[in-house]
Amino acid sequence: MAQKPLRLLACGDVEGKFDVLFNRVRAIQKKSGNFDLLLCVGNFFGSTPDAEWEEYKTGIKKAPIQTYVLGANNQETVKYFQDVDGCELAENITYLGRKGVFTGSSGLQIVYLSGTESLNEPVPGYSFSPKDVFSLRTMLWSTSQFKGVDILLTSPWPKYVGNFGNSSGEVDTKKCGSALISSLATGLKPRYHFAALEKTYYERLPYRNHIILQENAQHATRFIALANVGNPEKKKYLYAFSIVPMKLMDVAELVKQPPDVTENPYRKSVKEASIGKQIPAPEEDSACQFFFDLNEKQGRKRSSTGRDNKSSHPKQPRKLPQPPGPCWFCLASPEVEKHLVVNIGTHCYLALAKGGLSDDHVLILPIGHYQSVVELSAEVVEEVEQYKATLRRFFKSQGKRCVLFERNYKSHHLQLQVIPVPLSRCATDDIKDAFITQAQEQQIELLEIPEHSDIKQIAQPGAAYFYVELDTGEKLFHRIKKNFPLQFGREVLASEAILNIPDKSDWRQCQISKEEEETLARRFRKDFEPFDFTLGD
């Protein structure tokens, strides 16, 4: 027997016009039958006198339907929401809370995030922060086999929601809205996403949550922005729809794609990437920043994954990608010095950084010539991940956490920089906040991306970007469009907030003699050996 759909209403900014809203709901229910819930996004309270609200608060008047609302978007209305975890404001009117998940008896899952975006600390009572978005996503991703949510309620629009879709009218979605909410929507994959605040109605064409031919089909998302109640232009502020909770739906029916479905607006199109500007050639600064080489006993080390154990002499060894010219980082290149290489696998190797931020600042590099993580083959990606996991264990044994970043801009060869930070220095959240704060100061749009996402879903080959990965798995990403400070990653980590060595933000100020480098390399090899997966059994 098919599950009976729930009948819901969604509403934009009420702004204190409670009678107008509820009289309209009564008229709709009289004509079309009762609805199960009314969900209100945007500003529920306005700058109007409280006389009308007092009638609902004291019970003189009553909402005709169970109504759920989001919290304040400005200081003026914070006073109405006494409990940050949610509370009943009046009979049939409930404040959901600052952020969380509401699951109805039917199994319908509604995720809500109150307020407007803020990157400043402390966060105002009417705003949400990157930490709020991260904790909300983590809460949902922790459930087994997470596939998405039924409804997402936010007050601001998500930034870029108009990409690849129908016109959003007078609202420029490349400038308007919250990038944090775009990130949240990307990670949570809501079937419906409602927002307000822009005083206009916009129903975007549904968009995909998967990459065609690369991922299994997933349900589509419908984004609907609603106007303010009783607006003189008569723009739509109430939206009626029916929904069966996704937990109760047949998978084939759930993932059925609407005929007008579009590409995901938060993902750069392949075409746009392919016709974009070419990444400028490396400057001298980056071309000679690090030097690596092969030396001594390194030739004995090979992967212990099992692939190489079948035959020590494969008949047709795979040809490695070749650089178009001299490269400081290709292991077979004559330009490479040998003394800083500390470990060699099958597809990748480790080397100490020239002018490192610390004695154990290392790089993960592909042996063959690849410009970025996005261009790596599956087997190279697998070994990169193995190195990352091993380095985390290694540094953890020494009382350190590691930060990894990649700058795919003005560089020929992929360099994954891994910098250990003593646990006593700062928490992971402090490191994350330092990156976000400095990015904001330099007008760099650093977005948080889903923890389990693949960079290849976000950036296409040839696209310039900066990428940070923390020891918790949290990831920050910036798509470079014009210029980007080459030492940004080092500057953040060298700052007082993290390592407190600001004089080392420029690698050229950190160079030591070759003899000292050789000593550091020997020490690292010895310490790393118990964790070395390339040694085999």
Side-chain angles (χ1 to χ4, degrees):
M1 183 177 178
Q3 173 71 25
K4 183 180 179 182
L6 295 167
R7 303 181 73 229
L8 308 182
L9 289 168
C11 178
D13 304 273
V14 180
E15 296 182 333
K17 297 178 180 178
F18 309 113
D19 286 345
V20 175
L21 169 62
F22 293 132
N23 287 339
R24 177 62 179 153
V25 170
R26 289 187 184 93
I28 291 174
Q29 294 200 125
K30 184 176 181 180
K31 181 179 179 181
S32 305
N34 288 337
F35 283 76
D36 296 288
L37 297 174
L38 169 61
L39 307 171
C40 295
V41 294
N43 294 312
F44 187 68
F45 294 96
S47 56
T48 55
D50 287 343
E52 191 171 312
W53 172 242
E54 284 298 320
E55 292 181 309
Y56 288 89
K57 187 177 179 181
T58 57
I60 296 174
K61 292 182 179 179
K62 176 183 173 182
I65 184 174
Q66 184 60 54
T67 303
Y68 292 93
V69 309
L70 294 183
N73 296 298
N74 52 61
Q75 186 61 50
E76 186 181 2
T77 56
V78 169
K79 62 184 180 183
Y80 295 104
F81 306 95
Q82 297 299 317
D83 190 341
V84 296
D85 294 323
C87 58
E88 186 179 76
L89 301 179
E91 187 174 358
N92 271 1
I93 302 176
T94 301
Y95 164 48
L96 286 167
R98 286 193 68 243
K99 65 178 186 296
V101 183
F102 172 84
T103 303
S105 57
S106 63
L108 186 76
Q109 196 171 48
I110 301 172
V111 177
Y112 54 90
L113 181 64
S114 292
T116 55
E117 176 179 315
S118 174
L119 299 179
N120 299 318
E121 293 288 349
V123 178
Y126 53 88
S127 296
F128 57 85
S129 69
K131 290 181 181 178
D132 292 320
V133 172
F134 172 72
S135 64
L136 195 51
R137 285 201 321 235
T138 302
M139 183 196 317
L140 286 147
W141 285 348
S142 63
T143 59
S144 60
Q145 298 180 326
F146 174 76
K147 295 179 180 178
V149 299
D150 291 303
I151 298 171
L152 173 61
L153 303 178
T154 64
S155 287
W157 291 28
K159 200 170 185 179
Y160 311 118
V161 70
N163 289 357
F164 314 129
N166 48 315
S167 172
S168 53
E170 64 269 29
V171 178
D172 183 351
T173 60
K174 291 183 179 179
K175 298 178 180 178
C176 156
S178 164
L180 287 177
I181 290 179
S182 302
S183 173
L184 184 64
T186 302
L188 299 191
K189 303 173 187 176
R191 294 166 66 199
Y192 285 87
H193 180 182
F194 294 96
L197 297 185
E198 299 301 327
K199 299 187 182 299
T200 191
Y201 170 72
Y202 172 50
E203 183 172 359
R204 191 202 185 280
L205 292 172
Y207 65 81
R208 300 184 191 91
N209 281 298
H210 64 278
I211 301 176
I212 298 176
L213 302 179
Q214 294 185 36
E215 298 175 319
N216 293 331
Q218 299 180 48
H219 59 270
T221 294
R222 290 171 168 81
F223 171 76
I224 297 103
L226 295 161
N228 49 314
V229 170
N231 65 86
E233 299 84 5
K234 299 190 182 301
K235 295 178 181 178
K236 189 170 183 176
Y237 63 84
L238 265 180
Y239 185 92
F241 65 109
S242 298
I243 185 172
V244 174
M246 65 188 302
K247 293 181 179 180
L248 304 178
M249 290 186 67
D250 176 77
V251 174
E253 185 65 26
L254 176 65
V255 303
K256 189 179 293 183
Q257 301 296 294
D260 55 350
V261 69
T262 76
E263 184 55 54
N264 192 306
Y266 315 121
R267 200 177 282 142
K268 192 171 183 179
S269 70
V270 176
K271 180 179 179 182
E272 185 180 352
S274 65
I275 62 176
K277 293 182 180 179
Q278 294 295 316
I279 299 175
E283 295 178 355
E284 181 180 355
D285 171 66
S286 58
C288 59
Q289 187 172 356
F290 302 102
F291 303 83
F292 313 108
D293 217 317
L294 179 63
N295 195 14
E296 299 172 348
K297 301 177 182 179
Q298 295 298 313
R300 66 188 172 89
K301 300 188 177 184
R302 282 296 177 263
S303 171
S304 60
T305 59
R307 291 190 297 265
D308 299 329
N309 296 335
K310 296 180 180 178
S311 170
S312 59
H313 301 286
K315 293 180 180 179
Q316 292 183 335
R318 176 171 296 189
K319 186 177 181 181
L320 293 173
Q322 297 299 312
C327 180
W328 293 106
F329 308 111
C330 290
L331 198 55
S333 172
E335 281 76 21
V336 175
E337 293 186 65
K338 298 180 179 180
H339 63 286
L340 289 181
V341 173
V342 293
N343 190 269
I344 301 177
T346 303
H347 307 289
C348 305
Y349 69 99
L350 291 183
L352 291 185
K354 188 81 170 180
L357 282 168
S358 62
D359 292 348
D360 45 5
H361 176 172
V362 295
L363 296 175
I364 305 172
L365 302 110
I367 292 173
H369 188 77
Y370 296 91
Q371 184 168 309
S372 69
V373 164
V374 173
E375 298 178 358
L376 295 180
S377 63
E379 58 190 0
V380 182
V381 169
E382 182 180 348
E383 192 166 280
V384 166
E385 293 300 321
Q386 198 168 5
Y387 265 119
K388 285 159 63 174
T390 302
L391 286 169
R392 288 191 186 102
R393 290 194 299 271
F394 170 61
F395 286 126
K396 185 177 181 181
S397 73
Q398 298 184 333
K400 302 173 184 178
R401 57 170 54 87
C402 59
V403 180
L404 181 147
F405 71 82
E406 177 196 1
R407 187 199 76 223
N408 182 33
Y409 174 70
K410 296 189 177 182
S411 58
H412 277 307
H413 191 109
L414 165 62
Q415 305 156 47
L416 287 176
Q417 312 225 14
V418 185
I419 298 91
V421 177
L423 295 174
S424 58
R425 282 293 312 164
C426 55
T428 301
D429 281 349
D430 298 326
I431 298 173
K432 181 180 174 183
D433 289 345
F435 270 101
I436 291 173
T437 299
Q438 289 208 32
Q440 187 178 19
E441 290 174 357
Q442 298 187 46
Q443 297 184 319
I444 295 171
E445 189 175 44
L446 199 59
L447 306 178
E448 187 172 352
I449 62 176
E451 179 182 343
H452 303 292
S453 66
D454 187 340
I455 288 292
K456 293 184 179 182
Q457 297 175 1
I458 301 170
Q460 299 296 328
Y465 62 85
F466 175 80
Y467 161 75
V468 182
E469 185 172 337
L470 305 175
D471 62 320
T472 56
E474 295 171 81
K475 300 174 182 177
L476 303 172
F477 178 87
H478 170 66
R479 193 185 306 280
I480 299 173
K481 297 177 181 178
K482 292 183 179 179
N483 299 317
F484 185 79
L486 298 181
Q487 303 296 337
F488 177 72
R490 287 183 63 107
E491 289 171 356
V492 175
L493 291 167
S495 67
E496 293 182 4
I498 304 180
L499 292 173
N500 194 23
I501 45 173
D503 55 316
K504 289 191 174 184
S505 60
D506 188 332
W507 71 274
R508 289 166 294 197
Q509 305 300 319
C510 307
Q511 295 187 74
I512 57 179
S513 69
K514 183 177 179 180
E515 289 73 21
E516 290 174 300
E517 291 172 339
E518 289 173 336
T519 299
L520 293 179
R522 283 194 297 270
R523 184 189 306 163
F524 187 95
R525 294 186 194 110
K526 181 181 178 181
D527 294 343
F528 185 71
E529 189 164 354
F531 299 83
D532 187 358
F533 65 88
T534 70
L535 287 173
D537 299 326

